[in-house]
Amino acid sequence: LAQGPVGQWSPSASLHGSPPRPPLMYTAFLSQHGGKRPTLKDDLPDGQPKERGKRGAPSDSESAASAMNPSANRLKLKLPKFEDLSPGGPKEKKGENEENEENGEENGEEDEEEKKEEQEAPEIAEPVISRRHSGNSTDVQRLKTISLGELRLGPLDIDAARKLWKDFVDAMFSLEAAGDAIYTAIMSTASSLQSLFTTPKSVIALRFGNVMSSFVAALNDPATLRTHVETLGFLHLRWDISENRVLMAIDTLLDLFEAELFNSNNIRGIEAWNCLLDYIGGAVIFVRRHYSARLQILQDSWEKANRSQEKEGTRHGGSDLQQRRENRSRTPASNGNSVQPIAKGRNLLSGRAQLMSRIPDVSGAQGKMAKKRSTISKQQSKGKLEDATQVVPGTFAEMFRFNASVMGLAQASQEWMNEVLACFNNLVANVTDSNRLQEECNILVLRISKVTTTQVGLGNFKACMLASLRWLLSEDWSPEHETAWLWFWDNVAQRLKATMGKPPLWSKALTLLFRALDDAEQYEFRAKIYANFFALAPEGQDYFKQSNSYLHLIASKVLAMTTELYDDPVRMVDNVSALGLRHVAYAIPTGLIAAYVRASVEAMTELTKDDTAIEAFQWSLSLIGKSLVHTMMEGSTVVMSAITANSPERIRAVVQCAPRGERAQWMLTVQVGSNSISPLAWALESRRHEVAAEILRDLLTIRADRSRYYYGADELFARHSNIIDMILHCAPAMLPSLLDGLVWRSSISVKGMRRVNYYLKHLLVAPDGGLAKAMEWAAKPKDTDVVCHPILICLSELVWSRLVSGSFFLREGKLILKLLNFILSQAVLEQLIHSQDSFTLRVIMFSCRCLNYTYNLGSLLWSNGLLALRAYRSGAVKNIMGVKVPIYLQTWQDYIRLLLALVLLMMLACEPFIYCMASGSDLAVRCSSLRHLELYSALSMVGMYLQFSLLLDLGVANIRILAFLLVGWRLLSEVGLFLLALLVMIVSTATALSCLHVGSPAFHGVHGGAYTLLRSFLDIGSIEELDRLKEAPHALAIVHIFLAVVLVILCNTLIAQISCSYERLYSSMLGFACLKRIETIVHVMPSVSSKRWSAFVNSLGLDQPIEFNAGDVGLAGGIQITELATLHPTPLDGIHRYGGATSPSQPWPIEQADQGGLEGKFDRIERLIEKKFQVQSSMCSGLDSRGPRSAMHSMM
């Protein structure tokens, strides 16, 4: 009873490590009876006594009740012979060799004995009576442990049992709390069972509620109930479960029901549960007795058959079979479970030839193998085979393929055998679960049908399987192994034969049916599905909250999956598993899946009369539904339930139960088969930010015991290498918390300095060994607060100073050379030639200008042309007046380069050397045919400004310089506003003065007045121009008012705006500078060679542990620096240290101090007050309907 399917969340109140305590009403009920478990007669109405004797004879009152209603309340327990592990499985065939024949005879004798016992035992057909156990031998004998049949209860008994369970769950307020109450009752009253419960309490309590609900739901389906209890028995094979322990658990559970539901008077429900629990307990004992050894052999031998051979090195050759037998005889029995190394120096095929002789003759394979052995012997005698150089396969798959080639199987056979090999591990792993085994067999049939349409020889696979296992387990192989594996494969083979060859026919029929449906018929079909579904499961309406159009889209995808499962089963199995994990995150009840499948099949039967298509649809959709259900059951963890509830408190409670070595994986991975889902990723995607923040905090908390440190950063980035990008997309406010978790600061300062560890390995190195995209992602939102985080500043400085700066200056050095050449050719040599003309100077200037046009202009045209071509190819164009213009200019530097290229082209068109050489002059810069000299000079001036503007990129070399440039750039907007206001004032004043017809020629016309006012503002005008306005005092007043407004108001406003803007930008200018540097690093990194990158990473020593404090060697993956102790005060140690046991399998002790701070305490008080008011309201509303005791019970 310590294992079961995973269900829902159990209350956090029971997860804080408090000692087990039974429910309040249960404790009070026991105290009323002197601490003893009460009898049923204490609870019967009117004081009627009820005898609680042995389980055989009914009491008088029960006989009377049975006579009054003989058709109701009947318990029919059929006990057919259980021949196989799963329902409907095959009988064990007699072996081909003598050992198998002996085992078959023994099995036959046991079967005959079971038949005789069943004939002697009368069929139980009596009313449900009191079957409580007194602990004597008679009670033990009443558990049906000889065989496993089906439990058949009457309709009234089923209804009573279900009502009892529903009332119990309601009394506990939730299914999760009901499971917790069962767990607490067992731990408090049955102390001898406590040693069996090794799984954390939260997980066990969660399973109790779900597994009990599954049993109650299957009461009206005996076959399904048998499968459930059979599976439960297989899950408990490794525990020491005896009859007395089972009876103790049954008594505890029934007493709990009676105590919590003492005034419900549901005696029939109690007795029905008594029979159900007896049936479950007997099934657990039966499975343990009959199949524990066989299943343990399968499990152990399969694990050894796939054990890696790396520790032993490469296994050469094979040892002689006789030599291995001698070695086994000399090996003590206690060491027989380990596989001994095979002696080297022997020929592989000689040992294989002897081993092949043990393979039974299956499907004519013996003759082929005999011929092969004969051929091998001849080749060995002729020396045609290499000796002692062939490597023995170390795994089952490798050995199986080797045996298949030795047996001479055709390529077609090997193709379908490869499909079996791909699924073989799943078949063996699910041998204890008949439903899962059938599901895996169905998937295997689909895969086989895709590679072959002919009849497959399953006997050939059996021969190769046994031969491979005999070789790999040669030290341990025994008749028990032979029997177990033959039994396993016969079971699988019969399941495969049941549907072998049908999938191609089903696929064709289903595809033709869907193609024949038009849009209206498909819409009607989908609508019918939902109508049937909501009729079968009304509670499903609470989970389908989307519009009808979206519901039809979901139904269309489901219908498409039924055909795609036949076409590509491998891909669809993965897709269905991923879909099931997403349903886990949505907390969808598994019962709705079966209802949806049933509703779809009913709609299909109304749509068509084609039995083949209906069968194909039902089989495919049922397989998808089963896969979804088992994925949801296996993927439903307490962490996922806490995320669904968006409860950080539950997260803290459930992970507290996790082993310290697996704590991070609980929050990062929920694995089902080959698919997995991350609870952290789901919390981020579903916008449950409080839970995601709590998970991040827990993962990035450093914990330590005496043996090792535990830090979840490695697991976090291994699972989500793009965690920064995920957080920026889903919850940007959580990024500082993530970065803070990667920094450790010492609480001890030495000489005013403290140690700081930056664990930046995963921010720097990507999983593939290259540069991680952490800095690029952090810079993408343009958030200066994020890029100013100390770890990002440290990271960018480290990469820039030790790796990128050299490549950056090497690239920007070309720009400096271009600028120097431009200055020399356009400014320096031009003036020298004007002062002292010489042929040498003209040759030098001609050479510099040729270099300017070829190298500078050529590189600009090439880069712009390449970017434009890429824009055209990618469709990044904009239609301007019917012309498609490429859009590839992203930054202001791109615009400057494009403008510089145009200026250089115009300079080339006006180049004086070209005009003079065309007129016959020899390298002259002045000639009679020279034109556009002024235009050339102006273009040269503009080009000079553009060349110098590109040098602003060099400011990234220093953060302070870069910050100054960025602040100045952002202040240009304020200057622009001032200039705009000045222009308005000048134009308005000039036009006003023009209207007055001022006699001064300086104010003649609007343009003249504007020019004079601008000169006056710049204080470069003459006083005489204003003196002439004395004759027009009104005009002079206007000019004085203009100067006062501009000089006093506008100029001071500009100064104030610049001051305020600078103060505002000063706090973030470092962020802008860091942002620019990160962008530069990302842009330059592709030019860094892999050799330099590897040398840089190795020089950091990120794989070496670094100290926390002196002598305390800690974690690897970071670098250590020192900072001023006053910069970031750290009064407490950032490491949570614990004493006690240091085993990774032990959970951490409960952190009593971690209660979420003052705010968390107030939140808990507020929630408790609200809950108290809700309980009181429900109590008052239930006083009249349920009585005072029931209301008091609700309050408690």
Side-chain angles (χ1 to χ4, degrees):
L1 298 176
Q3 292 289 335
V6 180
Q8 301 295 323
W9 158 256
S10 59
S12 59
S14 64
L15 303 178
H16 293 286
S18 58
R21 181 179 60 85
L24 290 175
M25 296 303 298
Y26 181 48
T27 306
F29 192 70
L30 291 180
S31 63
Q32 294 177 5
H33 297 81
K36 300 179 181 179
R37 285 194 287 267
T39 59
L40 284 176
K41 64 182 180 180
D42 299 324
D43 307 326
L44 288 176
D46 303 328
Q48 297 177 5
K50 191 170 189 67
E51 182 179 355
R52 189 188 297 226
K54 298 181 180 179
R55 299 181 53 184
S59 61
D60 296 338
S61 60
E62 293 165 344
S63 300
S66 176
M68 293 174 62
N69 190 6
S71 60
N73 204 12
R74 310 282 290 181
L75 174 63
K76 298 180 180 180
L77 188 59
K78 295 185 178 181
L79 304 176
K81 179 176 61 178
F82 188 68
E83 303 166 327
D84 181 50
L85 171 66
S86 60
K91 297 181 180 180
E92 294 179 2
K93 297 183 180 180
K94 295 183 179 181
E96 288 79 359
N97 49 26
E98 295 180 356
E99 296 175 351
N100 292 337
E101 292 177 357
E102 294 176 0
N103 293 334
E105 294 175 358
E106 295 175 359
N107 293 336
E109 294 175 358
E110 294 176 357
D111 293 342
E112 293 178 358
E113 293 177 358
E114 293 178 1
K115 288 183 179 179
K116 183 179 299 184
E117 292 175 355
E118 291 176 4
Q119 294 175 356
E120 293 175 357
E123 182 180 3
I124 299 177
E126 58 187 38
V128 177
I129 60 173
S130 178
R131 302 176 187 276
R132 303 300 301 275
H133 307 288
S134 60
N136 54 32
S137 59
T138 305
D139 290 333
V140 174
Q141 293 174 0
R142 297 304 301 175
L143 290 177
K144 294 296 182 179
T145 60
I146 299 176
S147 60
L148 180 59
E150 295 179 350
L151 177 65
R152 299 182 182 274
L153 294 176
L156 296 180
D157 298 324
I158 294 175
D159 294 340
R162 290 177 174 175
K163 183 179 184 304
L164 179 71
W165 177 247
K166 182 179 182 301
D167 292 342
F168 179 72
V169 174
D170 293 341
M172 295 293 106
F173 297 105
S174 67
L175 181 64
E176 298 83 0
D180 185 80
I182 295 174
Y183 176 86
T184 305
I186 292 177
M187 296 295 286
S188 60
T189 60
S191 58
S192 61
L193 299 180
Q194 296 181 7
S195 60
L196 300 179
F197 294 92
T198 58
T199 309
K201 177 183 178 181
S202 59
V203 180
I204 292 295
L206 184 149
R207 290 172 177 170
F208 268 126
N210 195 51
V211 72
M212 291 299 181
S213 296
S214 65
F215 289 150
V216 172
L219 281 175
N220 58 345
D221 189 353
T224 303
L225 179 62
R226 171 181 167 177
T227 302
H228 287 343
V229 298
E230 184 182 64
T231 303
L232 184 67
F234 290 135
L235 293 174
H236 290 77
L237 290 176
R238 60 193 178 111
W239 280 276
D240 184 15
I241 298 177
S242 61
E243 288 88 343
N244 290 329
R245 286 181 168 179
V246 169
L247 296 176
M248 190 181 303
I250 293 174
D251 282 345
T252 302
L253 187 57
L254 293 176
D255 288 340
L256 176 64
F257 286 162
E258 293 177 357
E260 296 297 328
L261 306 173
F262 58 88
N263 61 345
S264 64
N265 298 326
N266 190 358
I267 305 301
R268 185 185 296 274
I270 291 289
E271 300 305 339
W273 266 93
N274 194 347
C275 293
L276 174 62
L277 294 176
D278 286 349
Y279 176 68
I280 296 172
V284 171
I285 300 298
F286 171 79
V287 172
R288 175 177 175 80
R289 287 179 178 177
H290 288 75
Y291 293 101
S292 59
R294 182 176 295 179
L295 293 175
Q296 191 66 37
I297 288 175
L298 288 175
Q299 180 180 357
D300 295 342
S301 59
W302 180 244
E303 180 180 354
K304 291 180 181 180
N306 290 277
R307 184 176 299 169
S308 175
Q309 304 296 325
E310 293 178 359
K311 295 182 179 181
E312 301 179 5
T314 303
R315 295 176 62 175
H316 297 276
S319 62
D320 184 55
L321 193 59
Q322 182 65 29
Q323 180 68 27
R324 289 201 299 271
R325 290 175 177 172
E326 294 175 0
N327 293 339
R328 190 193 311 177
S329 64
R330 293 193 298 266
T331 303
S334 60
N335 298 330
N337 294 329
S338 60
V339 179
Q340 301 296 330
I342 299 178
K344 301 180 180 179
R346 304 300 299 270
N347 189 280
L348 165 66
L349 294 179
S350 63
R352 292 298 306 151
Q354 297 184 36
L355 185 61
M356 290 297 182
S357 62
R358 299 179 59 189
I359 300 179
D361 186 7
V362 182
S363 300
Q366 188 72 20
K368 296 180 181 179
M369 294 170 55
K371 295 180 180 178
K372 178 64 70 173
R373 289 196 299 269
S374 176
T375 304
I376 292 173
S377 301
K378 293 179 181 179
Q379 290 176 345
Q380 284 181 323
S381 62
K382 295 180 180 179
K384 292 184 179 181
L385 295 178
E386 298 180 0
D387 183 56
T389 59
Q390 300 187 15
V391 179
V392 176
T395 63
F396 174 78
E398 296 171 354
M399 183 60 69
F400 185 92
R401 294 188 181 94
F402 177 84
N403 287 328
S405 62
V406 171
M407 294 174 61
L409 297 177
Q411 183 66 27
S413 299
Q414 294 186 11
E415 289 181 359
W416 70 262
M417 286 185 177
N418 288 332
E419 298 297 329
V420 181
L421 285 177
C423 302
F424 198 76
N425 183 69
N426 293 338
L427 295 174
V428 179
N430 295 294
V431 66
T432 59
D433 190 341
S434 56
N435 289 331
R436 281 297 308 277
L437 183 63
Q438 184 62 54
E439 180 184 331
E440 295 296 335
C441 289
N442 292 340
I443 294 172
L444 178 56
V445 169
L446 288 173
R447 298 183 62 161
I448 293 176
S449 65
K450 297 302 297 181
V451 298
T452 181
T453 57
T454 60
Q455 187 69 23
V456 297
L458 298 177
N460 293 336
F461 187 93
K462 181 199 291 187
C464 292
M465 176 192 72
L466 292 175
S468 303
L469 291 172
R470 288 191 188 109
W471 173 268
L472 295 171
L473 306 173
S474 57
E475 297 291 335
D476 305 309
W477 194 258
S478 65
E480 290 76 12
H481 286 76
E482 191 90 10
T483 302
W485 282 101
L486 283 172
W487 167 78
F488 162 74
W489 180 249
D490 289 342
N491 190 11
V492 171
Q494 180 170 345
R495 295 172 183 268
L496 295 177
K497 292 177 182 178
T499 54
M500 190 70 71
K502 295 181 180 180
L505 301 177
W506 287 341
S507 176
K508 182 178 179 180
L510 193 59
T511 303
L512 292 177
L513 174 63
F514 284 148
R515 288 179 180 177
L517 298 178
D518 56 21
D519 294 340
E521 291 175 336
Q522 291 181 8
Y523 185 88
E524 183 180 356
F525 177 50
R526 295 192 297 266
K528 187 62 177 177
I529 290 177
Y530 285 107
N532 295 342
F533 173 68
F534 293 141
L536 291 173
E539 64 275 11
Q541 302 180 55
D542 299 332
Y543 295 91
F544 286 94
K545 304 175 183 179
Q546 297 82 2
S547 62
N548 285 330
S549 59
Y550 192 78
L551 293 183
H552 279 269
L553 176 62
I554 295 175
S556 299
K557 292 183 177 181
V558 173
L559 298 179
M561 290 171 63
T562 58
T563 57
E564 293 174 2
L565 184 63
Y566 291 107
D567 298 333
D568 192 353
V570 178
R571 180 180 61 86
M572 282 304 301
V573 167
D574 292 337
N575 292 346
V576 170
S577 297
L579 182 63
L581 288 174
R582 295 195 66 85
H583 279 72
V584 170
Y586 290 123
I588 303 296
T590 56
L592 296 181
I593 303 298
Y596 191 90
V597 172
R598 180 181 173 185
S600 301
V601 173
E602 290 179 356
M604 176 62 72
T605 56
E606 299 177 7
L607 178 67
T608 180
K609 300 301 181 182
D610 187 354
D611 294 338
T612 304
I614 295 175
E615 185 180 8
F617 180 77
Q618 181 178 4
W619 190 86
S620 177
L621 190 59
S622 298
L623 182 57
I624 294 173
K626 293 176 182 177
S627 298
L628 283 175
V629 169
H630 91 253
T631 302
M632 294 167 63
M633 295 295 289
E634 295 178 13
S636 297
T637 64
V638 289
V639 175
M640 293 297 294
S641 300
I643 293 174
T644 303
N646 195 21
S647 173
E649 293 81 5
R650 289 189 177 184
I651 284 290
R652 284 194 291 268
V654 298
V655 298
Q656 194 66 48
C657 305
R660 60 188 67 179
E662 303 175 7
R663 184 169 180 138
Q665 292 302 321
W666 275 38
M667 295 176 282
L668 291 174
T669 304
V670 175
Q671 185 76 34
V672 178
S674 59
N675 291 276
S676 63
I677 189 174
S678 170
L680 173 59
W682 174 250
L684 290 172
E685 293 175 4
S686 59
R687 300 296 189 268
R688 290 171 170 85
H689 297 161
E690 295 181 2
V691 176
E694 179 61 29
I695 292 177
L696 274 180
R697 184 199 66 80
D698 193 275
L699 287 172
L700 299 179
T701 299
I702 303 177
R703 297 178 176 85
D705 52 28
R706 296 186 304 275
S707 299
R708 58 183 64 84
Y709 287 93
Y710 294 86
Y711 187 40
D714 290 340
E715 290 86 349
L716 172 62
F717 283 92
R719 185 71 172 90
H720 301 293
S721 58
N722 62 334
I723 181 63
I724 293 180
D725 190 38
M726 292 170 53
I727 290 178
L728 288 175
H729 278 87
C730 302
M734 290 175 53
L735 185 56
S737 300
L738 170 65
L739 299 178
D740 289 340
L742 300 176
V743 180
W744 173 86
R745 289 185 173 88
S746 175
S747 59
I748 302 174
S749 61
V750 179
K751 297 182 180 179
M753 306 295 289
R754 78 170 74 251
R755 297 190 183 196
V756 180
N757 293 352
Y758 291 125
Y759 293 97
L760 44 74
K761 175 181 178 180
H762 301 290
L763 301 180
L764 177 63
V765 183
D768 59 356
L771 176 67
K773 293 185 177 181
M775 289 189 292
E776 179 181 354
W777 289 326
K780 186 181 298 182
K782 308 294 183 180
D783 189 346
T784 56
D785 294 334
V786 171
V787 296
C788 284
H789 195 277
I791 193 171
L792 289 180
I793 293 177
C794 176
L795 179 62
S796 59
E797 286 286 347
L798 188 67
V799 177
W800 171 261
S801 61
R802 299 180 60 175
L803 183 65
V804 175
S805 59
S807 300
F808 174 77
F809 285 116
L810 181 63
R811 189 187 66 175
E812 297 298 328
K814 301 176 183 178
L815 180 62
I816 297 175
L817 292 177
K818 293 178 184 179
L819 177 61
L820 292 177
N821 177 70
F822 194 79
I823 294 173
L824 185 63
S825 64
Q826 302 301 133
V828 177
L829 292 178
E830 183 76 21
Q831 297 300 324
L832 288 177
I833 290 176
H834 281 302
S835 60
Q836 48 180 1
D837 190 7
S838 66
F839 182 77
T840 304
L841 292 177
R842 292 199 302 271
V843 170
I844 296 175
M845 187 171 67
F846 179 77
S847 301
C848 291
R849 290 189 177 181
C850 288
L851 183 62
N852 185 39
Y853 294 132
T854 55
Y855 179 58
N856 196 359
L857 178 60
S859 61
L860 289 173
L861 291 177
W862 173 259
S863 61
N864 283 276
L866 187 61
L867 291 175
L869 181 61
R870 291 178 179 174
Y872 273 118
R873 289 182 175 178
S874 62
V877 294
K878 186 176 182 180
N879 196 339
I880 301 178
M881 299 180 65
V883 180
K884 293 183 177 181
V885 179
I887 303 175
Y888 63 90
L889 304 176
Q890 303 294 334
T891 62
W892 66 269
Q893 290 93 338
D894 295 335
Y895 287 96
I896 293 295
R897 292 187 183 95
L898 177 60
L899 186 58
L900 180 59
L902 297 176
V903 169
L904 291 177
L905 278 174
M906 297 174 66
M907 289 177 61
L908 179 60
C910 302
E911 178 58 46
F913 277 109
I914 296 177
Y915 279 95
C916 293
M917 291 177 66
S919 62
S921 300
D922 188 13
L923 292 180
V925 294
R926 296 289 186 272
C927 59
S928 58
S929 61
L930 183 61
R931 299 178 182 179
H932 310 297
L933 181 60
E934 293 77 7
L935 178 60
Y936 181 82
S937 300
L939 291 174
S940 179
M941 179 193 66
V942 174
M944 190 69 69
Y945 277 115
L946 295 177
Q947 291 275 12
F948 270 99
S949 64
L950 291 176
L951 287 181
L952 295 178
D953 282 344
L954 295 177
V956 75
N958 186 275
I959 290 293
R960 294 181 61 84
I961 296 176
L962 181 58
F964 174 79
L965 292 175
L966 293 173
V967 171
W969 178 262
R970 282 161 174 78
L971 291 178
L972 287 179
S973 61
E974 307 296 338
V975 177
L977 292 175
F978 168 78
L979 294 177
L980 178 61
L982 178 63
L983 177 62
V984 172
M985 289 295 298
I986 290 175
V987 173
S988 61
T989 304
T991 54
L993 292 174
S994 179
C995 296
L996 294 175
H997 301 287
V998 180
S1000 175
F1003 292 94
H1004 182 69
V1006 176
H1007 61 284
Y1011 179 69
T1012 302
L1013 292 174
L1014 179 62
R1015 286 167 55 86
S1016 300
F1017 167 72
L1018 296 177
D1019 199 19
I1020 58 177
S1022 61
I1023 303 299
E1024 297 177 355
E1025 296 176 350
L1026 297 178
D1027 290 340
R1028 295 176 182 175
L1029 294 177
K1030 291 181 179 181
E1031 300 176 356
H1034 51 284
L1036 183 61
I1038 291 175
V1039 172
H1040 284 191
I1041 292 173
F1042 165 77
L1043 293 177
V1045 170
V1046 171
L1047 295 176
V1048 177
I1049 299 178
L1050 289 184
C1051 290
N1052 285 285
T1053 301
L1054 175 63
I1055 294 172
Q1057 285 180 333
I1058 292 178
S1059 299
C1060 295
S1061 298
Y1062 186 83
E1063 184 178 358
R1064 177 175 54 85
L1065 292 174
Y1066 181 81
S1067 59
S1068 59
M1069 67 178 182
L1070 181 62
F1072 289 123
C1074 294
L1075 186 63
K1076 180 62 178 178
R1077 170 165 287 185
I1078 290 175
E1079 292 175 351
T1080 304
I1081 290 173
V1082 174
H1083 187 65
V1084 176
M1085 270 303 298
S1087 62
V1088 178
S1089 64
S1090 58
K1091 184 177 180 180
R1092 288 188 59 202
W1093 167 255
S1094 301
F1096 165 70
V1097 173
N1098 294 332
S1099 66
L1100 298 178
L1102 297 177
D1103 295 331
Q1104 300 297 325
I1106 56 178
E1107 287 186 336
F1108 288 115
N1109 292 312
D1112 186 7
V1113 180
L1115 300 163
I1119 60 174
Q1120 186 175 96
I1121 64 171
T1122 57
E1123 66 178 16
L1124 292 175
T1126 57
L1127 191 59
H1128 297 92
T1130 309
L1132 299 177
D1133 189 6
I1135 304 174
H1136 296 196
R1137 302 182 183 273
Y1138 301 91
T1142 61
S1143 173
S1145 61
Q1146 294 293 325
W1148 293 108
I1150 297 177
E1151 302 176 13
Q1152 298 293 344
D1154 187 13
Q1155 299 295 334
L1158 185 61
E1159 183 178 357
K1161 293 180 179 179
F1162 280 115
D1163 290 340
R1164 284 192 296 275
I1165 293 174
E1166 183 179 358
R1167 285 194 295 269
L1168 288 175
I1169 293 175
E1170 292 178 356
K1171 185 177 179 181
K1172 189 70 174 179
F1173 277 115
Q1174 292 176 359
V1175 171
Q1176 289 181 348
S1177 299
S1178 62
M1179 179 193 68
C1180 295
S1181 61
L1183 279 173
D1184 297 335
S1185 59
R1186 301 193 316 175
R1189 296 187 68 184
S1190 180
M1192 180 185 66
H1193 170 63
S1194 300
M1195 180 176 178
M1196 297 177 66

